[in-house]
Amino acid sequence: AQFRNPYDWFKAMERVPHHAPWHLRTKLNGNVSTKDSGNNWQEFLTREWTMDRAGKDLELHGNETCQEDFLYRDLVSCHVEPLPHSYYNYTLRYSEHQPFYEMRNDQSGKPYANIMELRTDKIRNFLSVRDYPGVADAWVVQYEYLLNEGTQNLIHRIQEWTGVEPRCKIIPPQMRQPKKTRLLSPEHAKYIRTHLNWTVEAMLGYEIEWVREDPPREW
């Protein structure tokens, strides 16, 4: 399973919140004509990870099987597009017309308190795959490692484990400069430090990056 460090992942989700319309334009008086997500990081990180059901979802009885084979209680929205395109009088962004909010992975039908709680539970769920019948192991691959080192070592390890000759193209290291729109303020980084479950993050090899709370600078 591939993971991204939490600081950059949260910022990327805030900038490009696909299938999460209730987490789009969270700034006060958000403008639907803006080309970016129009998000406020504090509101984005703290807002409950769900939305009200709308449109065709309101016609359901609550016992249906929804998109991607989720049960009704476990997903908002049950329909891929609960509202018709004619409902929107502006340019749609980030698949906002196709909501996909997963509820808690405990059959309660209740939403996660915020996106940080969602991430923690997702990590646990992905890592539990190694306990499935017929699964030998589940490897953690950091996105940053693949960018810095390329895919050669990973492909070589897979070949060693499986004995299968690779046919895919090896991707070399990619030294990318962070986008200025993806930089976190010290306050933003501190909030993540004090509210995220770092015990679970350590399962992926991630730890608190104190330097991110220093006065602003380019990374």
Side-chain angles (χ1 to χ4, degrees):
Q2 179 178 276
F3 300 91
R4 190 174 188 180
N5 85 71
Y7 295 98
D8 294 337
W9 187 80
F10 286 129
K11 190 62 180 180
M13 289 290 287
E14 174 200 328
R15 293 289 299 177
V16 188
H18 281 293
H19 303 286
W22 188 235
H23 292 75
L24 179 62
R25 308 181 189 94
T26 60
K27 289 180 181 177
L28 186 63
N29 301 319
N31 187 348
V32 296
S33 65
T34 183
K35 292 185 178 181
D36 63 22
S37 62
N39 273 328
N40 170 280
W41 72 260
Q42 292 172 308
E43 183 67 24
F44 181 83
L45 285 182
T46 59
R47 183 174 287 190
E48 192 174 49
W49 194 252
T50 189
M51 60 174 284
D52 292 336
R53 293 190 184 272
K56 291 186 289 185
D57 262 31
L58 299 178
E59 302 170 5
L60 301 177
H61 302 288
N63 57 356
E64 291 83 0
T65 299
C66 306
Q67 55 172 315
E68 302 294 335
D69 292 325
F70 276 83
L71 297 179
Y72 175 92
R73 70 173 183 227
D74 295 329
L75 189 71
V76 178
S77 155
C78 190
H79 287 281
V80 175
E81 294 187 27
L83 295 167
H85 272 250
S86 58
Y87 172 83
Y88 306 92
N89 59 1
Y90 54 86
T91 301
L92 293 169
R93 301 191 186 282
Y94 312 120
S95 307
E96 62 180 293
H97 61 302
Q98 298 175 326
F100 201 96
Y101 284 101
E102 294 182 48
M103 301 296 103
R104 293 178 182 273
N105 188 29
D106 59 7
Q107 303 180 2
S108 67
K110 296 180 179 179
Y112 291 100
N114 51 59
I115 191 173
M116 292 181 290
E117 200 176 76
L118 168 73
R119 175 183 167 96
T120 295
D121 212 22
K122 280 285 189 180
I123 291 171
R124 292 194 184 105
N125 189 47
F126 273 118
L127 296 184
S128 72
V129 170
R130 60 167 52 101
D131 299 323
Y132 288 9
V135 176
D137 198 5
W139 293 352
V140 170
V141 179
Q142 294 183 349
Y143 170 76
E144 299 78 24
Y145 173 84
L146 294 180
L147 284 183
N148 293 331
E149 304 295 332
T151 62
Q152 183 172 2
N153 184 53
L154 175 61
I155 292 173
H156 179 65
R157 287 189 62 196
I158 293 174
Q159 181 183 4
E160 286 183 329
W161 268 62
T162 64
V164 177
E165 190 72 23
R167 298 182 180 179
C168 55
K169 180 181 178 181
I170 292 175
I171 305 300
Q174 303 177 47
M175 304 307 294
R176 298 182 181 179
Q177 292 296 321
K179 296 181 179 179
K180 292 184 178 180
T181 55
R182 299 286 177 90
L183 299 178
L184 278 68
S185 67
E187 294 77 18
H188 192 168
K190 181 179 180 180
Y191 189 90
I192 292 173
R193 170 174 62 83
T194 56
H195 291 81
L196 187 61
N197 187 327
W198 289 99
T199 301
V200 172
E201 293 294 330
M203 298 176 184
L204 310 179
Y206 291 125
E207 57 187 22
I208 294 171
E209 298 180 19
W210 293 94
V211 68
R212 291 188 184 253
E213 298 179 36
D214 291 343
R217 66 184 179 89
E218 293 189 8
W219 298 89

